[in-house]
Amino acid sequence: QVQLVESGGGLVQAGTSLRLSCVASGRTVSSYGMGWFRQAPGKERDFVAAITWSRGSTYHADSVKGRFTISRDYAKNTVYLQMNSLKPDDTAVYYCAASKMYLTGSISAYEYWGQGTQVTVSS
């Protein structure tokens, strides 16, 4: 089993930055790939970024490349999502997830999910 807890969301102004955190726990966490997804009101849940625990290899969705950066601290069992140059369209609930398949953007590949953290970007 894997347990995931997100934090760091909040209300910010467009053009500013925010960093989300996801603390993972469970004996098999290191064998999973990690990812971030987001879901805006009335929209589907979309892939944001993925990372491996071992080397920290990353894969970012085209929509956030150059603005968002996923990273991890293996010793702290924590995955981060640094979000820069935030836009109102980034407003969504952001979810951390774990998959047995590395660096995938497919929602069906993710087995465990956190509770989500709200990010609201005002214009």
Side-chain angles (χ1 to χ4, degrees):
Q1 298 184 39
V2 176
Q3 294 81 46
L4 307 171
V5 180
E6 305 98 330
S7 63
L11 173 62
V12 298
Q13 293 184 326
T16 63
S17 299
L18 198 62
R19 188 179 77 162
L20 306 182
S21 298
C22 172
V23 178
S25 61
R27 296 176 64 182
T28 61
V29 165
S30 62
S31 66
Y32 285 79
M34 303 296 295
W36 284 99
F37 289 77
R38 65 184 182 183
Q39 187 167 23
K43 297 184 178 180
E44 298 294 317
R45 188 169 298 187
D46 293 326
F47 170 75
V48 176
I51 192 168
T52 64
W53 281 111
S54 56
R55 297 187 62 188
S57 300
T58 62
Y59 167 48
H60 295 80
D62 290 341
S63 60
V64 303
K65 282 184 177 179
R67 296 191 302 121
F68 292 9
T69 303
I70 190 171
S71 62
R72 94 280 185 262
D73 186 328
Y74 185 84
K76 295 182 178 180
N77 297 122
T78 303
V79 176
Y80 304 97
L81 183 67
Q82 178 66 45
M83 304 184 293
N84 298 327
S85 301
L86 283 163
K87 306 173 181 179
D89 286 347
D90 295 320
T91 296
V93 176
Y94 284 71
Y95 296 91
C96 181
S99 172
K100 290 185 177 180
M101 183 179 299
Y102 294 164
L103 300 180
T104 179
S106 176
I107 190 170
S108 64
Y110 287 82
E111 184 176 356
Y112 299 99
W113 296 83
Q115 83 288 350
T117 185
Q118 177 71 49
V119 173
T120 302
V121 184
S122 62
S123 60

Coordinates of all heavy atoms in Angstrom, one line a residue, residues 1-78:
Q1 N 0.8 -1.2 0.0 CA 0.0 0.0 0.0 C 0.9 1.3 0.0 O 2.0 1.3 0.5 CB -0.9 0.0 1.2 CG -1.9 -1.1 1.3 CD -2.8 -0.9 2.5 OE1 -3.3 0.2 2.8 NE2 -3.2 -2.1 3.1
V2 N 0.3 2.3 -0.6 CA 1.0 3.6 -0.7 C 0.0 4.7 -0.2 O -1.1 4.7 -0.7 CB 1.5 3.9 -2.1 CG1 2.1 5.3 -2.1 CG2 2.5 2.9 -2.5
Q3 N 0.4 5.5 0.7 CA -0.4 6.6 1.1 C 0.3 7.9 0.7 O 1.5 8.1 0.8 CB -0.5 6.6 2.6 CG -1.3 5.4 3.2 CD -0.5 4.2 3.3 OE1 0.7 4.2 3.8 NE2 -1.0 3.1 2.9
L4 N -0.5 8.8 0.1 CA 0.0 10.1 -0.4 C -0.8 11.2 0.2 O -2.0 11.2 0.2 CB -0.2 10.1 -1.9 CG 0.4 8.9 -2.7 CD1 0.0 9.0 -4.2 CD2 1.9 8.9 -2.6
V5 N -0.1 12.3 0.6 CA -0.7 13.4 1.2 C -0.1 14.7 0.6 O 1.1 15.0 0.7 CB -0.5 13.5 2.7 CG1 -1.1 14.7 3.3 CG2 -1.1 12.3 3.4
E6 N -1.0 15.5 -0.1 CA -0.5 16.7 -0.8 C -0.7 17.9 0.2 O -1.6 17.9 1.1 CB -1.3 17.0 -2.0 CG -1.3 15.8 -3.0 CD -2.6 15.0 -2.9 OE1 -3.1 14.8 -1.8 OE2 -3.0 14.4 -4.0
S7 N 0.1 18.9 -0.1 CA 0.0 20.2 0.7 C 0.6 21.3 -0.1 O 1.3 21.0 -1.1 CB 0.6 20.1 2.1 OG 2.0 19.9 1.9
G8 N 0.4 22.5 0.3 CA 1.0 23.7 -0.4 C 0.1 24.5 -1.3 O 0.5 25.5 -1.8
G9 N -1.1 24.0 -1.5 CA -2.0 24.8 -2.3 C -2.5 26.1 -1.6 O -2.2 26.3 -0.4
G10 N -3.1 27.0 -2.4 CA -3.6 28.2 -1.8 C -4.1 29.1 -2.9 O -4.2 28.8 -4.0
L11 N -4.4 30.4 -2.5 CA -4.8 31.4 -3.4 C -3.7 32.3 -3.7 O -3.1 32.9 -2.7 CB -6.0 32.2 -2.7 CG -6.5 33.4 -3.5 CD1 -7.1 33.0 -4.8 CD2 -7.6 34.1 -2.6
V12 N -3.3 32.5 -4.9 CA -2.2 33.3 -5.4 C -2.6 34.2 -6.6 O -3.6 33.9 -7.2 CB -1.0 32.5 -5.7 CG1 -0.5 31.8 -4.5 CG2 -1.3 31.6 -6.8
Q13 N -1.9 35.2 -6.8 CA -2.1 36.0 -8.0 C -1.4 35.5 -9.2 O -0.3 34.9 -9.1 CB -1.7 37.5 -7.7 CG -2.5 38.2 -6.6 CD -2.1 39.6 -6.4 OE1 -0.9 40.0 -6.6 NE2 -3.0 40.5 -6.1
A14 N -1.9 35.8 -10.4 CA -1.3 35.4 -11.6 C 0.1 36.0 -11.7 O 0.4 37.1 -11.3 CB -2.1 35.9 -12.8
G15 N 1.1 35.2 -12.2 CA 2.4 35.6 -12.4 C 3.3 35.2 -11.2 O 4.5 35.4 -11.3
T16 N 2.7 34.7 -10.1 CA 3.5 34.4 -8.9 C 3.8 32.9 -8.9 O 3.4 32.2 -9.9 CB 2.7 34.8 -7.7 OG1 1.5 34.0 -7.6 CG2 2.5 36.2 -7.6
S17 N 4.4 32.4 -7.9 CA 4.9 31.0 -7.8 C 4.3 30.3 -6.6 O 3.9 30.9 -5.6 CB 6.4 30.9 -7.8 OG 7.0 31.5 -8.9
L18 N 4.3 29.0 -6.7 CA 3.8 28.2 -5.6 C 4.4 26.8 -5.7 O 4.7 26.3 -6.8 CB 2.3 28.0 -5.7 CG 1.5 27.6 -4.5 CD1 1.6 28.6 -3.3 CD2 0.0 27.4 -4.9
R19 N 4.7 26.2 -4.5 CA 5.3 24.9 -4.5 C 4.4 23.9 -3.8 O 4.1 24.1 -2.6 CB 6.7 24.9 -3.9 CG 7.4 23.5 -4.1 CD 8.8 23.5 -3.5 NE 8.8 23.4 -2.1 CZ 9.9 23.0 -1.4 NH1 11.0 22.7 -2.0 NH2 9.8 22.9 0.0
L20 N 4.0 22.8 -4.5 CA 3.2 21.8 -3.8 C 4.1 20.7 -3.4 O 5.2 20.4 -3.9 CB 2.2 21.2 -4.8 CG 1.3 22.2 -5.5 CD1 0.3 21.5 -6.4 CD2 0.6 23.1 -4.5
S21 N 3.7 20.0 -2.3 CA 4.5 18.9 -1.8 C 3.6 17.7 -1.7 O 2.4 17.8 -1.5 CB 5.0 19.2 -0.4 OG 5.9 20.3 -0.4
C22 N 4.2 16.5 -1.8 CA 3.4 15.2 -1.7 C 4.3 14.3 -0.9 O 5.4 13.9 -1.4 CB 3.1 14.6 -3.1 SG 2.5 13.0 -3.0
V23 N 3.9 14.0 0.3 CA 4.6 13.0 1.2 C 4.0 11.6 0.9 O 2.9 11.4 1.1 CB 4.5 13.4 2.6 CG1 5.2 12.4 3.5 CG2 5.1 14.8 2.9
A24 N 4.9 10.7 0.6 CA 4.5 9.3 0.3 C 5.0 8.4 1.4 O 6.1 8.6 2.0 CB 5.1 8.9 -1.0
S25 N 4.2 7.4 1.7 CA 4.5 6.5 2.8 C 4.1 5.1 2.3 O 3.2 4.9 1.5 CB 3.9 6.8 4.1 OG 2.5 6.8 4.0
G26 N 4.7 4.1 2.9 CA 4.5 2.7 2.5 C 5.8 2.0 2.2 O 6.7 2.6 1.6
R27 N 5.8 0.7 2.5 CA 7.1 -0.1 2.3 C 7.5 -0.2 0.9 O 8.7 -0.4 0.6 CB 6.9 -1.4 3.0 CG 6.7 -1.4 4.5 CD 6.5 -2.7 5.1 NE 7.6 -3.6 4.9 CZ 7.6 -4.9 5.3 NH1 6.6 -5.4 5.9 NH2 8.7 -5.6 5.1
T28 N 6.6 -0.1 -0.1 CA 6.9 -0.3 -1.5 C 6.9 1.0 -2.3 O 6.9 0.9 -3.5 CB 5.8 -1.3 -2.1 OG1 4.5 -0.7 -2.0 CG2 5.9 -2.6 -1.4
V29 N 6.9 2.1 -1.6 CA 6.9 3.4 -2.3 C 8.0 3.5 -3.4 O 7.8 4.0 -4.5 CB 7.0 4.5 -1.3 CG1 7.3 5.8 -2.0 CG2 5.7 4.7 -0.6
S30 N 9.2 3.1 -3.1 CA 10.3 3.2 -3.9 C 10.2 2.5 -5.3 O 10.9 2.8 -6.2 CB 11.6 2.8 -3.2 OG 11.6 1.4 -2.9
S31 N 9.3 1.5 -5.3 CA 9.1 0.8 -6.6 C 8.1 1.4 -7.5 O 7.8 0.9 -8.6 CB 8.7 -0.7 -6.2 OG 7.4 -0.7 -5.6
Y32 N 7.5 2.5 -7.1 CA 6.5 3.2 -7.9 C 7.0 4.5 -8.5 O 8.0 5.1 -8.0 CB 5.3 3.6 -7.0 CG 4.4 2.5 -6.6 CD1 4.7 1.6 -5.6 CD2 3.2 2.3 -7.3 CE1 3.9 0.6 -5.3 CE2 2.3 1.3 -6.9 CZ 2.7 0.4 -5.9 OH 1.8 -0.6 -5.6
G33 N 6.4 4.8 -9.7 CA 6.7 6.1 -10.3 C 5.7 7.1 -9.7 O 4.6 6.7 -9.3
M34 N 6.0 8.4 -9.6 CA 5.1 9.4 -9.0 C 4.7 10.4 -10.1 O 5.4 10.6 -11.0 CB 5.8 10.1 -7.9 CG 6.3 9.2 -6.8 SD 5.0 8.3 -5.9 CE 4.1 9.7 -5.2
G35 N 3.5 10.9 -9.9 CA 3.0 11.9 -10.8 C 2.1 12.9 -10.2 O 1.6 12.7 -9.1
W36 N 1.9 14.0 -10.9 CA 1.0 15.1 -10.5 C -0.1 15.2 -11.6 O 0.3 15.2 -12.8 CB 1.7 16.4 -10.3 CG 2.5 16.6 -9.1 CD1 3.8 16.5 -8.9 CD2 2.0 16.9 -7.8 NE1 4.2 16.7 -7.6 CE2 3.1 17.0 -6.9 CE3 0.7 17.2 -7.3 CZ2 2.9 17.3 -5.6 CZ3 0.5 17.5 -5.9 CH2 1.7 17.6 -5.1
F37 N -1.3 15.3 -11.1 CA -2.4 15.6 -12.0 C -3.2 16.7 -11.5 O -3.0 17.1 -10.3 CB -3.3 14.3 -12.1 CG -2.8 13.2 -12.8 CD1 -1.8 12.4 -12.3 CD2 -3.2 12.9 -14.1 CE1 -1.3 11.3 -12.9 CE2 -2.7 11.8 -14.8 CZ -1.7 11.0 -14.2
R38 N -4.1 17.3 -12.3 CA -4.9 18.4 -11.9 C -6.3 18.3 -12.5 O -6.4 17.8 -13.6 CB -4.3 19.8 -12.2 CG -4.1 20.1 -13.6 CD -3.4 21.4 -13.8 NE -3.3 21.8 -15.2 CZ -2.6 22.9 -15.6 NH1 -2.1 23.7 -14.7 NH2 -2.6 23.2 -16.9
Q39 N -7.3 18.8 -11.8 CA -8.6 18.8 -12.3 C -9.3 20.1 -11.9 O -9.5 20.4 -10.8 CB -9.4 17.6 -11.6 CG -10.8 17.4 -12.2 CD -11.4 16.1 -11.8 OE1 -11.0 15.5 -10.8 NE2 -12.3 15.6 -12.6
A40 N -9.7 20.8 -13.0 CA -10.5 22.1 -12.8 C -12.0 21.7 -12.7 O -12.4 20.7 -13.2 CB -10.2 23.0 -14.0
P41 N -12.8 22.7 -12.2 CA -14.2 22.4 -12.1 C -14.8 22.1 -13.4 O -14.6 22.9 -14.4 CB -14.7 23.7 -11.5 CG -13.6 24.3 -10.7 CD -12.4 23.9 -11.5
G42 N -15.6 21.1 -13.5 CA -16.3 20.7 -14.8 C -15.4 20.1 -15.8 O -15.9 19.9 -17.0
K43 N -14.1 19.9 -15.5 CA -13.2 19.3 -16.5 C -12.6 18.0 -16.1 O -12.8 17.6 -15.0 CB -12.0 20.3 -16.8 CG -12.5 21.7 -17.4 CD -11.3 22.5 -17.7 CE -11.7 23.8 -18.3 NZ -10.5 24.7 -18.6
E44 N -12.0 17.3 -17.1 CA -11.4 16.0 -16.8 C -10.1 16.2 -16.0 O -9.5 17.3 -16.1 CB -11.1 15.3 -18.1 CG -12.4 15.0 -18.9 CD -13.3 14.0 -18.2 OE1 -12.8 13.0 -17.6 OE2 -14.5 14.2 -18.2
R45 N -9.7 15.2 -15.4 CA -8.4 15.2 -14.7 C -7.3 15.0 -15.7 O -7.3 14.1 -16.5 CB -8.3 14.0 -13.6 CG -7.1 14.1 -12.7 CD -7.3 13.1 -11.6 NE -8.4 13.5 -10.7 CZ -8.7 12.9 -9.6 NH1 -7.9 11.9 -9.1 NH2 -9.8 13.2 -8.9
D46 N -6.3 15.9 -15.7 CA -5.2 16.0 -16.7 C -3.9 15.7 -16.0 O -3.6 16.2 -14.9 CB -5.2 17.3 -17.4 CG -6.4 17.5 -18.3 OD1 -6.9 16.6 -18.8 OD2 -6.9 18.7 -18.4
F47 N -3.0 15.1 -16.8 CA -1.6 14.9 -16.4 C -0.8 16.2 -16.4 O -1.0 17.0 -17.3 CB -1.0 13.9 -17.3 CG 0.5 13.7 -17.1 CD1 1.0 13.0 -16.1 CD2 1.4 14.2 -18.1 CE1 2.4 12.9 -15.9 CE2 2.7 14.1 -17.9 CZ 3.2 13.4 -16.8
V48 N 0.0 16.3 -15.4 CA 0.9 17.5 -15.2 C 2.4 17.1 -15.4 O 3.1 17.6 -16.2 CB 0.7 18.2 -13.9 CG1 1.7 19.3 -13.8 CG2 -0.7 18.7 -13.8
A49 N 2.8 16.1 -14.6 CA 4.3 15.7 -14.6 C 4.5 14.4 -13.9 O 3.6 14.0 -13.1 CB 5.1 16.8 -14.0
A50 N 5.6 13.8 -14.2 CA 5.9 12.5 -13.6 C 7.4 12.4 -13.3 O 8.2 13.1 -13.9 CB 5.5 11.3 -14.5
I51 N 7.8 11.6 -12.3 CA 9.2 11.5 -11.9 C 9.4 10.1 -11.3 O 8.6 9.5 -10.8 CB 9.5 12.6 -10.8 CG1 11.0 12.7 -10.6 CG2 8.8 12.3 -9.5 CD1 11.4 13.9 -9.8
T52 N 10.7 9.7 -11.4 CA 11.1 8.4 -10.8 C 11.8 8.7 -9.5 O 12.5 9.8 -9.3 CB 12.1 7.6 -11.7 OG1 13.3 8.4 -11.9 CG2 11.4 7.4 -13.1
W53 N 11.7 7.8 -8.6 CA 12.4 8.0 -7.3 C 13.9 7.8 -7.4 O 14.6 8.6 -6.7 CB 11.8 6.9 -6.3 CG 10.5 7.2 -5.7 CD1 9.4 6.6 -5.9 CD2 10.2 8.3 -4.8 NE1 8.3 7.1 -5.2 CE2 8.8 8.2 -4.5 CE3 11.0 9.3 -4.2 CZ2 8.2 9.1 -3.6 CZ3 10.3 10.2 -3.3 CH2 9.0 10.1 -3.0
S54 N 14.3 6.9 -8.1 CA 15.8 6.5 -8.2 C 16.6 7.6 -8.7 O 17.5 8.2 -8.0 CB 16.0 5.3 -9.0 OG 15.4 5.4 -10.3
R55 N 16.5 8.0 -10.0 CA 17.3 9.0 -10.6 C 16.7 10.4 -10.7 O 17.4 11.3 -11.0 CB 17.7 8.5 -12.0 CG 18.5 7.3 -12.0 CD 19.0 7.0 -13.5 NE 19.9 8.1 -13.9 CZ 20.3 8.2 -15.2 NH1 20.0 7.2 -16.1 NH2 21.1 9.2 -15.5
G56 N 15.4 10.5 -10.4 CA 14.7 11.7 -10.5 C 14.5 12.1 -12.0 O 14.3 13.3 -12.3
S57 N 14.4 11.1 -12.9 CA 14.0 11.4 -14.3 C 12.6 12.0 -14.4 O 11.8 11.5 -13.6 CB 14.2 10.1 -15.1 OG 15.5 9.6 -15.1
T58 N 12.4 12.9 -15.2 CA 11.1 13.6 -15.3 C 10.5 13.6 -16.7 O 11.2 13.5 -17.7 CB 11.3 15.1 -14.8 OG1 12.1 15.8 -15.7 CG2 11.8 15.1 -13.4
Y59 N 9.2 13.9 -16.6 CA 8.4 14.0 -17.9 C 7.3 15.0 -17.5 O 6.5 14.8 -16.6 CB 7.8 12.6 -18.2 CG 6.7 12.6 -19.3 CD1 6.8 13.3 -20.4 CD2 5.6 11.8 -19.0 CE1 5.8 13.3 -21.4 CE2 4.6 11.8 -20.0 CZ 4.7 12.5 -21.2 OH 3.7 12.5 -22.1
H60 N 7.2 16.1 -18.3 CA 6.3 17.1 -18.1 C 5.3 17.3 -19.3 O 5.7 17.1 -20.4 CB 7.0 18.5 -17.9 CG 7.8 18.6 -16.7 ND1 9.1 18.0 -16.6 CD2 7.6 19.1 -15.5 CE1 9.6 18.2 -15.5 NE2 8.7 18.9 -14.7
A61 N 4.1 17.5 -18.9 CA 3.1 17.8 -20.0 C 3.4 19.1 -20.7 O 4.0 20.0 -20.2 CB 1.7 17.9 -19.4
D62 N 3.1 19.1 -22.0 CA 3.5 20.2 -22.9 C 2.8 21.5 -22.3 O 3.4 22.6 -22.5 CB 3.0 20.0 -24.3 CG 3.8 19.0 -25.0 OD1 4.9 18.7 -24.6 OD2 3.3 18.4 -26.0
S63 N 1.7 21.4 -21.7 CA 1.0 22.6 -21.2 C 1.7 23.3 -20.1 O 1.4 24.5 -19.8 CB -0.4 22.2 -20.8 OG -0.4 21.2 -19.7
V64 N 2.6 22.6 -19.4 CA 3.3 23.2 -18.3 C 4.8 23.3 -18.4 O 5.5 23.9 -17.5 CB 3.0 22.5 -17.0 CG1 1.5 22.5 -16.7 CG2 3.5 21.1 -17.0
K65 N 5.4 22.8 -19.5 CA 6.8 22.9 -19.7 C 7.3 24.3 -19.7 O 6.7 25.2 -20.3 CB 7.2 22.2 -21.1 CG 7.2 20.7 -21.0 CD 7.7 20.1 -22.3 CE 7.7 18.6 -22.3 NZ 8.2 18.0 -23.6
G66 N 8.4 24.5 -19.0 CA 8.9 25.9 -18.9 C 8.4 26.6 -17.7 O 9.0 27.7 -17.4
R67 N 7.3 26.2 -17.1 CA 6.7 26.9 -16.0 C 6.7 26.0 -14.7 O 7.0 26.5 -13.6 CB 5.3 27.3 -16.3 CG 5.2 28.4 -17.4 CD 3.8 29.0 -17.5 NE 2.8 27.9 -17.7 CZ 1.8 27.7 -16.8 NH1 1.6 28.5 -15.7 NH2 0.8 26.8 -17.1
F68 N 6.4 24.7 -14.9 CA 6.3 23.8 -13.8 C 7.5 22.9 -13.8 O 7.9 22.4 -14.9 CB 5.0 23.0 -13.8 CG 3.7 23.8 -13.6 CD1 3.7 25.1 -13.5 CD2 2.5 23.1 -13.4 CE1 2.5 25.8 -13.3 CE2 1.4 23.7 -13.2 CZ 1.4 25.1 -13.2
T69 N 7.9 22.5 -12.6 CA 9.0 21.5 -12.5 C 8.7 20.5 -11.4 O 8.5 20.9 -10.2 CB 10.4 22.2 -12.2 OG1 10.6 23.2 -13.2 CG2 11.5 21.2 -12.2
I70 N 8.8 19.3 -11.7 CA 8.6 18.2 -10.7 C 10.0 17.8 -10.2 O 10.9 17.8 -11.0 CB 7.8 17.0 -11.3 CG1 7.4 16.0 -10.2 CG2 8.6 16.3 -12.4 CD1 6.5 14.9 -10.6
S71 N 10.1 17.5 -8.9 CA 11.3 17.0 -8.3 C 11.0 16.1 -7.2 O 9.8 16.0 -6.8 CB 12.2 18.2 -7.9 OG 11.5 19.0 -6.9
R72 N 12.0 15.5 -6.6 CA 11.8 14.6 -5.5 C 13.0 14.7 -4.5 O 14.1 15.0 -4.9 CB 11.5 13.2 -5.9 CG 12.7 12.2 -5.9 CD 13.5 12.4 -7.1 NE 14.6 11.4 -7.2 CZ 15.9 11.7 -6.9 NH1 16.2 12.9 -6.4 NH2 16.8 10.8 -7.0
D73 N 12.7 14.4 -3.2 CA 13.7 14.3 -2.2 C 13.5 12.9 -1.7 O 12.6 12.6 -0.9 CB 13.5 15.3 -1.1 CG 14.6 15.3 -0.1 OD1 15.2 14.2 0.2 OD2 14.9 16.3 0.5
Y74 N 14.4 12.0 -2.1 CA 14.2 10.5 -1.8 C 14.3 10.3 -0.3 O 13.5 9.5 0.3 CB 15.3 9.7 -2.5 CG 15.2 8.3 -2.3 CD1 14.4 7.5 -3.1 CD2 15.9 7.6 -1.3 CE1 14.3 6.1 -2.9 CE2 15.8 6.2 -1.1 CZ 15.0 5.5 -1.9 OH 14.9 4.1 -1.8
A75 N 15.2 11.0 0.4 CA 15.4 10.8 1.8 C 14.1 11.3 2.6 O 13.8 10.7 3.7 CB 16.6 11.6 2.3
K76 N 13.4 12.2 2.1 CA 12.2 12.7 2.8 C 10.9 12.1 2.2 O 9.8 12.4 2.7 CB 12.1 14.2 2.6 CG 13.2 15.0 3.3 CD 13.0 16.5 3.2 CE 14.0 17.2 3.9 NZ 13.9 18.7 3.8
N77 N 11.0 11.2 1.3 CA 9.8 10.5 0.6 C 8.8 11.6 0.1 O 7.6 11.4 0.3 CB 9.1 9.6 1.6 CG 10.0 8.4 2.1 OD1 10.3 8.2 3.2 ND2 10.5 7.7 1.1
T78 N 9.4 12.6 -0.4 CA 8.5 13.8 -0.8 C 8.8 14.1 -2.3 O 9.9 14.2 -2.8 CB 8.8 15.0 0.0 OG1 8.6 14.7 1.4 CG2 7.9 16.1 -0.4

